[in-house]
Amino acid sequence: MDDKTTTLQRPFFSSEQVMAGADKMYRQRLSDIERAGYLDKDELFLARIKKVAQVLIQQAAQDFPETRTWQWEIHSSSEHEETAYSMAGGKILLNQLQIERWSLNDAELAMLLSHEIAHAVLEHNRLEYEQALVLFPAWHQRSFEELEDAVDNDESLLRALAPLCKQQEEEADAAGLRLAQRAGFSMISLVNFYKKLSRNSANPNFDSKSHPAPARRWMAMRELALQLSK
Ligand SMILES: [Zn+2]
């Protein structure tokens, strides 16, 4: 509604600023994981995820030309609590334990990666920061670094941004599925990733404020797959 229009009319941050900030936070995160002894422990696994990611990144370069100059990076963690995530500019982290536990084949892995790539390509970090400023204009008085931190840690900001996060999850699912399909991965396997997500979830029907229920995501992907294959 109005919030969205305001955001679009007033880009508060440049993509470059957000990518530079993301790069710094990513580096910090990687060094923490390395210090804990969980970073890139398995060379074969790392080679596998990089190979699958490469196919998707090449497709993204065709579909989203602005990403051609990005320094994409992908690493793996074998820490139990870690979940897959991506940051502005294509900085991605996957959890090896999750991928092995779910026995993801390459196309299912491609869906996981493509979802993360879609978050980066759609500039979800930047839009989140801008929405925070629209909802809480007082943040204009503070530094960008503080805002970056608050978006991940401040309770009231997290609560206020939850609906946007949920919308971004749905967008990354749909854009990710389209990207991976164009890159040549099997639609059945791409959708099957969401079946595994749902089956491996303790509460597959739980729709939280910030995340759509896994079962609903699976259904949405089945429907999109049907549309795309018509
Ligand atoms: Zn996501």
Side-chain angles (χ1 to χ4, degrees):
M1 288 186 348
D2 285 354
D3 287 348
K4 220 170 203 172
T5 320
T6 314
T7 305
L8 290 175
Q9 284 168 349
R10 297 183 58 186
F12 300 121
F13 305 111
S14 69
S15 305
E16 288 70 27
Q17 180 182 13
V18 175
M19 287 197 281
D23 185 74
K24 214 169 147 191
M25 289 189 288
Y26 185 66
R27 233 57 37 244
Q28 181 60 50
R29 186 79 195 103
L30 292 182
S31 87
D32 290 347
I33 299 170
E34 182 156 44
R35 212 165 328 110
Y38 294 121
L39 186 69
D40 297 338
K41 298 309 278 183
D42 182 340
E43 274 179 39
L44 275 180
F45 176 78
L46 191 60
R48 181 186 169 215
I49 57 177
K50 282 188 171 172
K51 196 172 160 197
V52 174
Q54 203 46 46
V55 179
L56 295 163
I57 288 166
Q58 274 167 11
Q59 187 62 44
Q62 280 185 42
D63 298 351
F64 306 92
E66 66 279 13
T67 66
R68 284 178 194 163
T69 54
W70 288 9
Q71 301 293 312
W72 291 88
E73 244 183 282
I74 177 155
H75 291 279
S76 81
S77 166
S78 46
E79 195 173 6
H80 279 279
E81 299 302 309
E82 197 81 66
T83 53
Y85 79 88
S86 71
M87 297 173 77
K91 309 295 182 192
I92 297 171
L93 185 73
L94 295 188
N95 184 321
Q96 179 173 2
L97 301 179
Q98 178 200 14
I99 290 160
E100 289 176 350
R101 204 168 47 238
W102 294 10
S103 308
L104 298 187
N105 67 27
D106 278 358
E108 291 160 355
L109 170 63
M111 187 60 244
L112 173 65
L113 274 163
S114 197
H115 172 98
E116 298 306 332
I117 287 170
H119 275 308
V121 162
L122 298 173
E123 293 200 273
H124 281 170
N125 282 155
R126 185 174 62 77
L127 296 172
E128 206 181 358
Y129 299 145
E130 298 203 341
Q131 181 75 353
L133 289 194
V134 169
L135 295 173
F136 299 97
W139 275 98
H140 277 288
Q141 316 304 323
R142 299 172 69 173
S143 73
F144 178 59
E145 287 74 18
E146 281 178 288
L147 178 62
E148 283 179 316
D149 182 62
V151 158
D152 288 332
N153 299 302
D154 181 278
E155 280 298 327
S156 58
L157 258 187
L158 282 169
R159 231 186 346 266
L161 291 172
L164 176 67
C165 285
K166 194 173 203 169
Q167 184 194 322
Q168 290 186 336
E169 284 309 303
E170 287 163 359
E171 284 173 11
D173 280 349
L177 183 75
R178 289 170 189 272
L179 180 75
Q181 186 212 20
R182 282 194 300 272
F185 291 98
S186 131
M187 188 69 103
I188 292 173
S189 286
L190 295 175
V191 174
N192 207 52
F193 167 77
Y194 288 93
K195 180 180 179 178
K196 289 189 172 179
L197 175 78
S198 186
R199 294 272 158 91
N200 284 283
S201 164
N203 295 302
N205 293 304
F206 179 65
D207 227 345
S208 80
K209 282 200 166 64
S210 64
H211 275 73
R216 202 159 62 74
R217 291 173 73 179
W218 178 25
M219 194 167 70
M221 289 303 99
R222 284 202 307 263
E223 279 168 14
L224 179 58
L226 271 177
Q227 278 175 30
L228 293 174
S229 50
K230 265 179 198 161

PDB file of all heavy atoms in Angstrom, residues 115-116 119 169, ligand 1:
ATOM      1  N   HIS A 115      16.399 -20.844  -4.192  1.00  0.00           N
ATOM      2  CA  HIS A 115      15.631 -20.020  -3.256  1.00  0.00           C
ATOM      3  C   HIS A 115      16.563 -18.956  -2.642  1.00  0.00           C
ATOM      4  O   HIS A 115      16.201 -17.771  -2.568  1.00  0.00           O
ATOM      5  CB  HIS A 115      15.021 -20.911  -2.163  1.00  0.00           C
ATOM      6  CG  HIS A 115      14.380 -20.164  -1.036  1.00  0.00           C
ATOM      7  ND1 HIS A 115      13.021 -19.925  -0.959  1.00  0.00           N
ATOM      8  CD2 HIS A 115      14.918 -19.589   0.074  1.00  0.00           C
ATOM      9  CE1 HIS A 115      12.753 -19.237   0.143  1.00  0.00           C
ATOM     10  NE2 HIS A 115      13.883 -19.016   0.791  1.00  0.00           N
ATOM     11  N   GLU A 116      17.746 -19.367  -2.226  1.00  0.00           N
ATOM     12  CA  GLU A 116      18.692 -18.417  -1.617  1.00  0.00           C
ATOM     13  C   GLU A 116      19.182 -17.404  -2.646  1.00  0.00           C
ATOM     14  O   GLU A 116      19.311 -16.213  -2.350  1.00  0.00           O
ATOM     15  CB  GLU A 116      19.880 -19.169  -0.983  1.00  0.00           C
ATOM     16  CG  GLU A 116      19.500 -20.130   0.147  1.00  0.00           C
ATOM     17  CD  GLU A 116      18.682 -19.461   1.257  1.00  0.00           C
ATOM     18  OE1 GLU A 116      18.826 -18.247   1.461  1.00  0.00           O
ATOM     19  OE2 GLU A 116      17.880 -20.159   1.914  1.00  0.00           O
ATOM     20  N   HIS A 119      16.583 -14.694  -3.151  1.00  0.00           N
ATOM     21  CA  HIS A 119      16.596 -13.647  -2.112  1.00  0.00           C
ATOM     22  C   HIS A 119      17.599 -12.557  -2.489  1.00  0.00           C
ATOM     23  O   HIS A 119      17.310 -11.367  -2.364  1.00  0.00           O
ATOM     24  CB  HIS A 119      17.031 -14.228  -0.755  1.00  0.00           C
ATOM     25  CG  HIS A 119      15.928 -14.850   0.044  1.00  0.00           C
ATOM     26  ND1 HIS A 119      14.744 -14.208   0.331  1.00  0.00           N
ATOM     27  CD2 HIS A 119      15.853 -16.071   0.658  1.00  0.00           C
ATOM     28  CE1 HIS A 119      13.977 -15.001   1.084  1.00  0.00           C
ATOM     29  NE2 HIS A 119      14.625 -16.140   1.281  1.00  0.00           N
ATOM     30  N   GLU A 169       9.712 -14.739   1.586  1.00  0.00           N
ATOM     31  CA  GLU A 169       9.886 -16.196   1.481  1.00  0.00           C
ATOM     32  C   GLU A 169       9.086 -16.736   0.300  1.00  0.00           C
ATOM     33  O   GLU A 169       9.592 -17.548  -0.485  1.00  0.00           O
ATOM     34  CB  GLU A 169       9.426 -16.892   2.771  1.00  0.00           C
ATOM     35  CG  GLU A 169      10.391 -16.776   3.929  1.00  0.00           C
ATOM     36  CD  GLU A 169      11.799 -17.169   3.538  1.00  0.00           C
ATOM     37  OE1 GLU A 169      12.005 -18.301   3.058  1.00  0.00           O
ATOM     38  OE2 GLU A 169      12.705 -16.331   3.679  1.00  0.00           O
TER      39      GLU A 169
HETATM   40 ZN    ZN B   1      14.272 -17.828   2.458  1.00  0.00          ZN
END
